[in-house]
Amino acid sequence: MAALILVPTNLPASSHREAPITALDHTADVTDWYAFVSFDHPDRVTMILNVDPFLEPSNGPNYFPFDPNVLYEMKVDNNHDGIEDITFQFRFKTETRLPGVFTGFAGGIAGIPPITSLDGAGSTGLSLRQTYTVTMVRDGVSTDLTDGQTLFAVPSNVGPRTMPNYQALFNQGIYELGSGVRVFAGTVDDPFFIDLGAAFDSLNFRMGVGGVLSPQVDADDTHNYAPDAVAGFNVNSIVLEVPITMLTVDGQLHPATDKNAVIGTYGTTSRQHVTIRRTPAEMTESGNAVRTEGPWRQVQREGNPLINELIIGTGSKDRFSVDDPEHDSQFANFLLDPLLAHLFASLGIPVPSAPRTDLLPLVQYTAPICPGCGPQDAGPIADLLR
């Protein structure tokens, strides 16, 4: 849980199926939110919104398209008030190009050539194909960032007969949108590492490692010493790289010691207020089983890692998911006296006693996360990845 102070820092976050509402709505479940200064472009920031957990890679025939009925958003607060000032929106559309074929992807069989391209020659076997748009909203003004391009989401790696050179296909899904903006959307290997089974078996961590790492193991940055419950599973990932000057309050680059170098970020998914299930006759006319309408309603959000999954009480998890960060003071007691700290203490792990005011820098603009911020810059209690 570190700060995004626009210097090269990698910030992981993860929450898989953490709230009742998203356990039943997996395509709207935000599994991970990442934000970091781009390693190859230090004047840019990369933000990654991962959704839809525990996708078994071979699970056809439909595999794992993005949900056309979900609005995926990346949000940035750049003036320390806990409210988003810049929003990047992503919407997906699905087409079925081979309606008589029983699977979403076919190639190298029955006269259908292998899939070697997302469009044009070599794309015949992409029956289930998705396109998407990228929109930036700032000061109430929406700007289409797609630069006139048709953006294709990269599908799952079906296998060598169907997709003989998947890496080349994957690379085609990285788009330059102009002015230093790049984007990718597709199904990828889940990058997080966590022993979920032990964590939720009442912190029954595997004794091969134990709850507290030895100095030797702790110093080893090469090997993992615990089971990885998400290994072998995929997630759907949206990656956006933008210039830092597009995100700061004044459109300028600032040193890390300047408060204007610190931004707060989070990712969200939303659905429209009304969902209508169509009759077979209506499906024949439209091709869609579901129609949605009305204003958007937030389903899930994520800023700092594991806040909702391991800190917020089950009775408040759904409220946390659908509410905005600026209202997070209502959940302050969970952070000031987290049950997880008591559980760790019961295992012999030394943790500070309540109230845990040392956690406040995670949810306010204060030092050391914002070294240039003064008392007037702290802003409200808000779960943002700063």
Side-chain angles (χ1 to χ4, degrees), residues 115-118 154-160 162-175 184-185 187-189:
I115 298 172
T116 58
S117 178
L118 299 176
V154 177
S156 294
N157 185 355
V158 174
T162 306
M163 300 173 176
N165 188 346
Y166 184 76
Q167 185 62 55
L169 198 67
F170 185 94
N171 293 342
Q172 293 176 34
I174 302 172
Y175 294 96
F184 167 90
T187 304
V188 305
D189 177 48

Side-chain angles (χ1 to χ4, degrees), residues 40-164:
D40 53 346
H41 291 285
D43 60 338
R44 304 179 192 177
V45 163
T46 297
M47 295 178 286
I48 303 175
L49 178 64
N50 286 351
V51 298
D52 206 348
F54 296 105
L55 306 180
E56 207 290 321
S58 64
N59 193 6
N62 300 298
Y63 294 90
F64 315 106
F66 288 90
D67 193 333
N69 297 311
V70 169
L71 172 64
Y72 304 90
E73 294 183 292
M74 301 176 175
K75 299 186 176 183
V76 177
D77 167 37
N78 61 18
N79 62 2
H80 306 162
D81 63 358
I83 303 171
E84 71 271 15
D85 300 289
I86 306 168
T87 300
F88 298 96
Q89 299 177 331
F90 305 84
R91 292 295 313 279
F92 290 82
K93 291 184 178 180
T94 303
E95 57 178 333
T96 302
R97 304 166 72 212
L98 301 172
V101 175
F102 67 89
T103 181
F105 310 100
I109 194 172
I112 302 175
I115 298 172
T116 58
S117 178
L118 299 176
D119 192 29
S123 70
T124 302
L126 280 176
S127 178
L128 193 162
R129 188 170 70 170
Q130 291 195 302
T131 59
Y132 64 99
T133 58
V134 185
T135 304
M136 180 178 71
V137 181
R138 185 167 192 164
D139 298 327
V141 178
S142 297
T143 303
D144 181 6
L145 299 182
T146 54
D147 195 33
Q149 299 184 65
T150 300
L151 310 179
F152 295 99
V154 177
S156 294
N157 185 355
V158 174
R161 170 178 283 178
T162 306
M163 300 173 176

Side-chain angles (χ1 to χ4, degrees), residues 1 194 198-200 202-205 210-212 306 310-311 338-352 356:
M1 295 185 180
I194 187 171
F200 293 113
S202 301
L203 304 182
N204 185 22
F205 293 114
V212 180
L306 300 171
L310 295 180
I311 302 296
L339 176 61
L340 187 63
H342 293 278
L343 297 178
F344 281 148
S346 72
L347 297 177
I349 300 175
V351 294
R356 291 298 302 275

Side-chain angles (χ1 to χ4, degrees), residues 206-257:
R206 318 302 166 96
M207 287 302 100
V209 179
V212 180
L213 302 182
S214 68
Q216 181 181 2
V217 170
D218 195 34
D220 186 347
D221 293 331
T222 304
H223 302 91
N224 288 309
Y225 291 88
D228 182 11
V230 299
F233 290 101
N234 289 338
V235 292
N236 279 337
S237 186
I238 303 172
V239 184
L240 182 69
E241 181 181 65
V242 298
I244 289 173
T245 54
M246 186 180 286
L247 302 180
T248 53
V249 66
D250 56 2
Q252 303 295 318
L253 284 169
H254 298 276
T257 53

